[in-house]
């Protein structure tokens, strides 16, 4: 399997793909090793993960360079991702022992009762390419701390990073019989689904997530899905600084080359400030630097996958063909690499794919609304339910909007952020289950009730 640099279209590596037999062998190793890992005190497992966290810092130069080479994200954002991953790991280090400890719920009377938390067993972690460290540590870190074995399949667009993760986990003391990497494309994922695993954790598209859920449903084991979004943002007419809000919104659209599940994908602006907001947003967009992701002045690098540029251009063409106006960008850049100019469109509506279909790139439509009620109606007009943001001077007014939105996360005066302390979850086509917070620790264990008499 060739690894392609999306900025240059050069082959930067070749990785052997797993076969069905090699996947079976890796599963066999985990079946042998996982019980011994689970028998260790949780403090010893936490110690291994603490060393892994430190290695991410020690080797950050190499890790960030690899990440930028195979995904195309600006180099400083690769460093940011590593910093964020270490922060999330620290949350698990600080809180896992508490949430995995046995709980005495009845301590008096004839029968005492307690709850203990046992590992699921061996789980599949089918991960994503856009944030391979951040979405990866959401799963394999609490899974390992909880005593599980992990079959980790990195995306074919982030395979070299996945191999770095394996190397550093082993160096940190995690046994080979506890963590195995499966390399390959869709076929490798299908082989994982055929194994008698104890849980399946996937990050990616709704279409693939649904297929996975259907495939493993008969096994009656946990199947957790972190899927996509079409995340809305609403700017109320009472904001104090339109220019600052436009800048924050732009960052939410284009960060990581627009390839974030919780990126801002559609914007609604109150008619009283609509023109001023659009003018500011467009002016700031035109200052964004698109180019070599290794250049420290670059804001936006290439898209990670070759077909995604054509998909975005089709969305833009559909919108323009239905009456939208393209104010800036929206064209492929000449030369090598999967580059596309960041784009903003106005005069948009929900008859256009741009406003209803996940984009996953630095492209957005801005729609005028007359009041909060219209904003709520349009924000809710989606099959997705990941995040939604409201900018307003008044929290009370913003809260009335946020309470009406069927999403796993809402933001007031911020957007496109994830915190380890609260659950990360999607609704509707955005997924099932939660990672992060104490719920993301308990997601990888199963409760056992003890009734103790005598």
């Amino acid at each position: 399997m060739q690894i392609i640099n999306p900025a240059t279209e050069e082959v930067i590596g070749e990785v052997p793909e797993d076969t069905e037999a090699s996947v079976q062998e890796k599963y066999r190793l985990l079946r042998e090793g996982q019980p011994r890992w689970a028998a260790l005190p949780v403090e010893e497992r936490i110690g291994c993960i603490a060393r892994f966290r430190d290695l991410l810092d020690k080797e950050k130069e190499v890790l960030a360079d690899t990440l930028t080479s195979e995904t195309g994200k600006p180099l400083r954002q690769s460093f940011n991702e590593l910093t964020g991953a270490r922060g999330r790991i620290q949350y698990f280090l600080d809180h896992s022992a508490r949430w995995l400890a046995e709980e005495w719920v009845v301590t008096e009377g004839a029968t005492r009762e307690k709850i203990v938390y046992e590992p699921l067993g061996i789980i599949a972690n089918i991960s994503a390419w856009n944030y391979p460290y951040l979405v990866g540590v959401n799963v394999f870190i609490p899974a390992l701390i909880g005593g599980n074995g992990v079959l980790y399949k990195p995306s074919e667009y982030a395979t070299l990073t996945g191999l770095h993760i394996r190397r550093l986990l082993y160096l940190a003391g995690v046994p080979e019989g506890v963590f195995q990497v499966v390399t390959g494309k869709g076929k490798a994922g299908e082989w994982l689904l055929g194994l008698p695993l104890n849980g399946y954790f996937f990050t990616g598209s709704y279409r693939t997530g649904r297929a996975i859920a259907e495939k493993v449903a008969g096994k009656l084991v946990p199947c957790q899905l972190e899927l996509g979004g079409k995340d809305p943002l609403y700017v109320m007419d009472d904001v104090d600084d339109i220019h600052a809000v436009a800048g924050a919104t732009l960052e939410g659209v284009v960060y990581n080359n627009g390839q974030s599940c919780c990126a801002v994908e559609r914007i609604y602006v109150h008619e009283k400030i609509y023109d001023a907001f659009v003018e500011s947003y467009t002016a700031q967009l035109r200052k964004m630097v698109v180019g070599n992701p290794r250049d420290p002045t670059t804001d936006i690098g290439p898209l990670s996958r070759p077909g995604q540029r054509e998909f975005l251009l089709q969305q833009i063409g559909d919108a323009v063909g239905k009456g939208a106006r393209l104010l800036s960008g929206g064209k492929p850049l000449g030369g090598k690499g999967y580059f596309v100019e960041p784009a903003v469109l106005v005069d948009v509506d929900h008859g256009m794919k741009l406003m209803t279909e996940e984009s996953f790139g630095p492209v957005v439509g801005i729609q005028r609304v007359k009041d909060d009620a219209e904003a709520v109606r349009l924000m809710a007009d989606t099959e997705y339910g990941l995040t939604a943001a409201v900018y307003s001077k008044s929290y009370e007014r913003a809260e009335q909007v946020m309470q009406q939105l069927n999403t796993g996360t809402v933001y007031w005066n911020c957007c496109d952020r994830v915190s380890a302390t609260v659950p990360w979850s999607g609704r509707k086509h955005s997924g099932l289950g939660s990672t992060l917070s104490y719920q993301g620790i308990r997601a990888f264990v199963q409760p056992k009730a003890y009734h103790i008499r005598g």
Side-chain angles (χ1 to χ4, degrees), residues 66-79:
T66 299
L67 184 56
T68 289
S69 294
E70 64 179 346
T71 68
K73 68 177 62 190
L75 185 60
R76 67 175 183 274
Q77 294 182 16
S78 291
F79 282 109

Side-chain angles (χ1 to χ4, degrees), residues 191 369 450:
W191 292 328
V369 296
Y450 279 67

